[in-house]
Amino acid sequence: MTQRGNRRELLADAATEVLARDGGRGLTHRAIDREARVPEGTTKNYYPTRNALFEAIAHHLAERHVAALEALCTHIPDDVGPDHVTALYAAMLHRMSGNARAQFLALFELHLEGVRNPEVRALLGRISRASVDTAVQLHSAVGRRISRRGAGLLDAGMLGVALSALSLPRDLVGELGLDDADGIGRALLSLAATRDHGALEVLTDWAG
């Protein structure tokens, strides 16, 4: 990778951290310069406008997300079973509020920006399509079928649960069971693979 490529990646990483920590209002060229520890004006040379900043972050997260899911699908073990898939989605929920918290907070900010910015919206679509494709492939690998609509519901449900778990008061998160990654993972997978007429029963079973 060229030095310029390395600098772009450095700035995109720093911009992701700033967006996650300070939100859209705090996403400034100077804040990214400080986060990346580069001379003032560096970020503006690479990404002259705020739109360019948002698009750079969206592109950065999309590249990482798609690459990770492609690697996952390329190395699905021959003995993978339904329990492994359930554990994987539970682990994803744990990561959203754990060591990948900054990336997901930035992603939620991008979803708000995507309402107004078509370039960001297109990159978010790339992330969602990769998640849907992966869900379909994983279910197929364990001998189960899931439609793309079901996989889309699963993706949206994962994001919604993660957003609530990160933004709601902790006592309410616990009261609603939104910190039960294993249980929610099972419920979302079951709901996604169930026809509409069975959805209520799936949710009722999870609610206990």
Side-chain angles (χ1 to χ4, degrees):
M1 182 179 291
T2 65
Q3 184 176 0
R4 185 174 180 84
N6 283 327
R7 179 60 62 88
R8 283 188 177 278
E9 185 172 355
L10 171 67
L11 294 175
D13 270 330
T16 300
E17 291 294 328
V18 171
L19 183 60
R21 184 182 64 237
D22 301 330
R25 289 186 178 181
L27 186 68
T28 66
H29 292 92
R30 287 186 178 182
I32 297 169
D33 287 340
R34 290 193 296 269
E35 181 71 25
R37 298 182 181 180
V38 296
E40 186 172 317
T42 300
T43 302
K44 200 169 186 66
N45 286 336
Y46 285 84
Y47 307 112
T49 65
R50 277 178 56 79
N51 275 354
L53 290 176
F54 278 110
E55 290 162 19
I57 298 169
H59 178 77
H60 182 60
L61 292 181
E63 287 291 311
R64 285 190 167 187
H65 186 78
V66 171
L69 293 184
E70 286 179 347
L72 171 65
C73 289
T74 301
H75 299 95
I76 297 176
D78 292 335
D79 60 348
V80 67
D83 288 345
H84 296 106
V85 175
T86 302
L88 173 64
Y89 278 91
M92 288 181 185
L93 286 171
H94 279 299
R95 286 189 69 246
M96 287 177 181
S97 58
N99 60 358
R101 184 175 186 272
Q103 290 93 323
F104 279 96
L105 286 172
L107 182 63
F108 297 138
E109 294 285 346
L110 289 176
H111 272 273
L112 293 176
E113 179 66 19
V115 174
R116 299 170 293 274
N117 187 324
E119 294 295 330
V120 169
R121 187 184 309 134
L123 288 162
L124 291 173
R126 187 180 175 207
I127 291 173
S128 184
R129 286 189 184 94
S131 296
V132 168
D133 291 342
T134 298
V136 171
Q137 187 167 341
L138 286 173
H139 277 73
S140 177
V142 299
R144 294 186 174 180
R145 182 187 176 279
I146 185 173
S147 68
R148 290 186 63 78
R149 291 183 67 181
L153 176 62
L154 173 61
D155 183 48
M158 293 279 289
L159 288 174
V161 168
L163 175 60
S164 295
L166 287 168
S167 60
L168 292 177
R170 286 189 177 182
D171 58 340
L172 183 59
V173 169
E175 177 187 338
L176 299 179
L178 297 177
D179 54 354
D180 178 14
D182 294 331
I184 290 177
R186 287 192 300 272
L188 289 175
L189 284 164
S190 296
L191 181 60
T194 301
R195 294 183 183 275
D196 291 344
H197 69 263
L200 181 60
E201 288 79 357
V202 173
L203 290 174
T204 301
D205 288 345
W206 171 69

